[in-house]
mmCIF file of all heavy atoms in Angstrom:
data_model
loop_
_atom_site.group_PDB
_atom_site.id
_atom_site.type_symbol
_atom_site.label_atom_id
_atom_site.label_comp_id
_atom_site.label_asym_id
_atom_site.label_seq_id
_atom_site.Cartn_x
_atom_site.Cartn_y
_atom_site.Cartn_z
ATOM 1 N N ARG A 45 70.934 56.445 155.064
ATOM 2 C CA ARG A 45 71.598 56.332 156.368
ATOM 3 C C ARG A 45 73.094 56.504 156.079
ATOM 4 O O ARG A 45 73.548 56.063 155.013
ATOM 5 C CB ARG A 45 71.391 55.046 157.022
ATOM 6 C CG ARG A 45 69.872 54.573 157.077
ATOM 7 C CD ARG A 45 69.870 53.016 157.215
ATOM 8 N NE ARG A 45 68.528 52.536 157.533
ATOM 9 C CZ ARG A 45 67.640 52.083 156.593
ATOM 10 N NH1 ARG A 45 67.913 52.184 155.370
ATOM 11 N NH2 ARG A 45 66.517 51.560 157.000
ATOM 12 N N THR A 146 62.015 52.407 146.349
ATOM 13 C CA THR A 146 61.731 52.486 147.723
ATOM 14 C C THR A 146 62.447 53.606 148.455
ATOM 15 O O THR A 146 61.849 54.336 149.267
ATOM 16 C CB THR A 146 62.119 51.096 148.396
ATOM 17 O OG1 THR A 146 61.297 50.095 147.810
ATOM 18 C CG2 THR A 146 61.783 51.137 149.903
ATOM 19 N N LEU A 147 63.797 53.623 148.218
ATOM 20 C CA LEU A 147 64.632 54.597 148.958
ATOM 21 C C LEU A 147 64.524 56.023 148.360
ATOM 22 O O LEU A 147 64.549 57.020 149.108
ATOM 23 C CB LEU A 147 66.077 54.170 148.939
ATOM 24 C CG LEU A 147 66.304 52.906 149.767
ATOM 25 C CD1 LEU A 147 67.762 52.422 149.517
ATOM 26 C CD2 LEU A 147 66.089 53.124 151.202
ATOM 27 N N TRP A 370 65.765 51.299 161.186
ATOM 28 C CA TRP A 370 64.643 51.602 160.411
ATOM 29 C C TRP A 370 64.525 53.091 160.003
ATOM 30 O O TRP A 370 65.136 53.931 160.629
ATOM 31 C CB TRP A 370 63.338 51.170 161.128
ATOM 32 C CG TRP A 370 63.192 51.813 162.560
ATOM 33 C CD1 TRP A 370 63.803 51.288 163.680
ATOM 34 C CD2 TRP A 370 62.692 53.038 162.798
ATOM 35 N NE1 TRP A 370 63.558 52.113 164.750
ATOM 36 C CE2 TRP A 370 62.874 53.216 164.232
ATOM 37 C CE3 TRP A 370 62.007 54.003 162.094
ATOM 38 C CZ2 TRP A 370 62.340 54.349 164.878
ATOM 39 C CZ3 TRP A 370 61.460 55.099 162.741
ATOM 40 C CH2 TRP A 370 61.670 55.321 164.155
ATOM 41 N N ILE A 371 63.742 53.302 158.979
ATOM 42 C CA ILE A 371 63.442 54.676 158.575
ATOM 43 C C ILE A 371 62.085 54.661 157.935
ATOM 44 O O ILE A 371 61.601 53.765 157.228
ATOM 45 C CB ILE A 371 64.516 55.143 157.477
ATOM 46 C CG1 ILE A 371 64.270 56.599 157.045
ATOM 47 C CG2 ILE A 371 64.497 54.224 156.268
ATOM 48 C CD1 ILE A 371 65.410 57.086 156.268
ATOM 49 N N ALA A 372 61.274 55.698 158.191
ATOM 50 C CA ALA A 372 59.903 55.931 157.704
ATOM 51 C C ALA A 372 59.699 57.339 157.506
ATOM 52 O O ALA A 372 60.252 58.231 158.063
ATOM 53 C CB ALA A 372 58.904 55.308 158.791
ATOM 54 N N GLY A 373 58.874 57.650 156.572
ATOM 55 C CA GLY A 373 58.551 58.995 156.257
ATOM 56 C C GLY A 373 57.469 59.199 155.243
ATOM 57 O O GLY A 373 56.765 58.313 154.753
ATOM 58 N N THR A 374 57.157 60.540 154.935
ATOM 59 C CA THR A 374 56.186 60.932 154.026
ATOM 60 C C THR A 374 56.696 62.189 153.258
ATOM 61 O O THR A 374 57.545 62.904 153.816
ATOM 62 C CB THR A 374 54.875 61.141 154.658
ATOM 63 O OG1 THR A 374 53.854 61.548 153.686
ATOM 64 C CG2 THR A 374 54.985 62.286 155.640
ATOM 65 N N VAL A 444 54.452 57.804 150.869
ATOM 66 C CA VAL A 444 54.707 57.333 152.240
ATOM 67 C C VAL A 444 55.715 56.149 152.014
ATOM 68 O O VAL A 444 55.584 55.395 151.042
ATOM 69 C CB VAL A 444 53.501 56.927 153.009
ATOM 70 C CG1 VAL A 444 52.667 58.102 153.367
ATOM 71 C CG2 VAL A 444 52.652 55.869 152.289
ATOM 72 N N PHE A 445 56.656 56.028 152.889
ATOM 73 C CA PHE A 445 57.662 54.986 152.706
ATOM 74 C C PHE A 445 58.258 54.441 154.046
ATOM 75 O O PHE A 445 58.116 55.134 155.077
ATOM 76 C CB PHE A 445 58.841 55.433 151.827
ATOM 77 C CG PHE A 445 59.471 56.715 152.395
ATOM 78 C CD1 PHE A 445 60.666 56.562 153.202
ATOM 79 C CD2 PHE A 445 59.074 57.984 152.170
ATOM 80 C CE1 PHE A 445 61.361 57.590 153.745
ATOM 81 C CE2 PHE A 445 59.705 59.063 152.673
ATOM 82 C CZ PHE A 445 60.813 58.900 153.470
ATOM 83 N N GLY A 446 58.777 53.234 153.964
ATOM 84 C CA GLY A 446 59.427 52.682 155.147
ATOM 85 C C GLY A 446 60.446 51.717 154.739
ATOM 86 O O GLY A 446 60.366 51.025 153.621
ATOM 87 N N ASP A 447 61.519 51.522 155.468
ATOM 88 C CA ASP A 447 62.597 50.628 155.142
ATOM 89 C C ASP A 447 63.246 50.130 156.453
ATOM 90 O O ASP A 447 63.560 50.975 157.328
ATOM 91 C CB ASP A 447 63.649 51.286 154.243
ATOM 92 C CG ASP A 447 64.732 50.347 153.658
ATOM 93 O OD1 ASP A 447 64.280 49.748 152.703
ATOM 94 O OD2 ASP A 447 65.857 50.272 154.152
ATOM 95 N N VAL A 448 63.404 48.844 156.568
ATOM 96 C CA VAL A 448 63.902 48.286 157.779
ATOM 97 C C VAL A 448 65.057 47.310 157.528
ATOM 98 O O VAL A 448 64.922 46.356 156.606
ATOM 99 C CB VAL A 448 62.832 47.442 158.561
ATOM 100 C CG1 VAL A 448 63.318 46.869 159.879
ATOM 101 C CG2 VAL A 448 61.619 48.378 158.890
ATOM 102 N N ALA A 460 63.893 45.013 154.240
ATOM 103 C CA ALA A 460 62.619 45.065 153.432
ATOM 104 C C ALA A 460 62.170 46.497 153.484
ATOM 105 O O ALA A 460 62.335 47.230 154.471
ATOM 106 C CB ALA A 460 61.610 44.221 154.137
ATOM 107 N N GLY A 461 61.642 46.965 152.285
ATOM 108 C CA GLY A 461 61.251 48.354 152.192
ATOM 109 C C GLY A 461 60.128 48.460 151.215
ATOM 110 O O GLY A 461 59.911 47.549 150.418
ATOM 111 N N LEU A 462 59.297 49.493 151.417
ATOM 112 C CA LEU A 462 58.127 49.713 150.580
ATOM 113 C C LEU A 462 57.786 51.232 150.478
ATOM 114 O O LEU A 462 57.990 51.928 151.541
ATOM 115 C CB LEU A 462 56.926 49.017 151.223
ATOM 116 C CG LEU A 462 55.730 48.748 150.338
ATOM 117 C CD1 LEU A 462 56.022 47.809 149.240
ATOM 118 C CD2 LEU A 462 54.595 48.297 151.175
ATOM 119 N N ARG A 463 57.400 51.636 149.347
ATOM 120 C CA ARG A 463 57.038 53.073 149.141
ATOM 121 C C ARG A 463 55.795 53.107 148.250
ATOM 122 O O ARG A 463 55.705 52.411 147.236
ATOM 123 C CB ARG A 463 58.124 53.907 148.449
ATOM 124 C CG ARG A 463 57.690 55.343 148.299
ATOM 125 C CD ARG A 463 58.783 56.118 147.447
ATOM 126 N NE ARG A 463 60.004 56.318 148.219
ATOM 127 C CZ ARG A 463 60.376 57.494 148.786
ATOM 128 N NH1 ARG A 463 59.581 58.592 148.723
ATOM 129 N NH2 ARG A 463 61.502 57.561 149.382
ATOM 130 N N TYR A 464 54.798 53.793 148.729
ATOM 131 C CA TYR A 464 53.575 54.090 147.921
ATOM 132 C C TYR A 464 53.586 55.555 147.511
ATOM 133 O O TYR A 464 53.894 56.465 148.236
ATOM 134 C CB TYR A 464 52.285 53.848 148.727
ATOM 135 C CG TYR A 464 51.027 54.346 148.046
ATOM 136 C CD1 TYR A 464 50.485 53.592 147.110
ATOM 137 C CD2 TYR A 464 50.497 55.608 148.364
ATOM 138 C CE1 TYR A 464 49.352 54.060 146.358
ATOM 139 C CE2 TYR A 464 49.299 55.995 147.736
ATOM 140 C CZ TYR A 464 48.801 55.288 146.733
ATOM 141 O OH TYR A 464 47.705 55.704 146.105
ATOM 142 N N SER A 544 56.435 50.487 145.244
ATOM 143 C CA SER A 544 57.815 49.962 144.966
ATOM 144 C C SER A 544 58.374 49.286 146.160
ATOM 145 O O SER A 544 58.644 49.904 147.152
ATOM 146 C CB SER A 544 58.650 51.152 144.552
ATOM 147 O OG SER A 544 58.255 51.628 143.271
ATOM 148 N N ARG A 546 61.428 46.615 147.977
ATOM 149 C CA ARG A 546 62.753 46.070 147.842
ATOM 150 C C ARG A 546 63.008 45.105 148.953
ATOM 151 O O ARG A 546 62.522 45.235 150.042
ATOM 152 C CB ARG A 546 63.811 47.185 147.767
ATOM 153 C CG ARG A 546 64.209 47.711 149.171
ATOM 154 C CD ARG A 546 65.512 48.484 149.048
ATOM 155 N NE ARG A 546 65.997 48.907 150.407
ATOM 156 C CZ ARG A 546 67.289 49.007 150.778
ATOM 157 N NH1 ARG A 546 68.176 48.586 149.932
ATOM 158 N NH2 ARG A 546 67.614 49.366 152.020
#
Side-chain angles (χ1 to χ4, degrees):
R45 310 154 171 95
T146 300
L147 294 171
W370 55 271
I371 183 171
T374 183
V444 291
F445 59 93
D447 192 76
V448 180
L462 196 70
R463 180 186 291 254
Y464 169 79
S544 293
R546 80 166 184 141

